[in-house]
Amino acid sequence: MPMSHSTAHDEPRPGPARITVNLAPKAATALDQAVKLTGDSKTDTINRALQVYAYLEKVIQDGGTLFTRSADSHELERLYFV
């Protein structure tokens, strides 16, 4: 009988999930751009993007604030999700 994987909180990890997604044109362009930038597959890029999004949403839900700074600026810009 195979052992189930668990997280640090002893919750079972779900197995792989196969889904079909219809991307809006902007999202499809963003996916293509991310794939070109990273060299990762579309699947790996989507998996990573969902993990990053979940983390950022958790920061916001917990009362945190997100900022970014471009390479040529010293100014911080606050990020908002709408």
Side-chain angles (χ1 to χ4, degrees), residues 7-55:
T7 65
H9 303 290
D10 286 332
E11 296 174 9
R13 289 181 130 173
R18 180 174 289 274
I19 61 169
T20 300
V21 178
N22 294 317
L23 298 177
K26 285 184 180 180
T29 299
L31 176 59
D32 290 340
Q33 182 181 16
V35 166
K36 287 177 186 172
L37 288 168
T38 64
D40 292 335
S41 69
K42 287 183 178 183
T43 296
D44 289 342
T45 301
I46 292 168
N47 281 314
R48 177 182 256 171
L50 289 171
Q51 291 171 40
V52 169
Y53 180 66
Y55 169 75

Side-chain angles (χ1 to χ4, degrees), residues 58-74:
K58 178 86 169 102
V59 168
I60 292 168
Q61 294 282 328
D62 289 347
T65 306
L66 304 170
F67 292 92
T68 187
R69 177 185 0 222
S70 63
D72 60 349
S73 174
H74 296 292

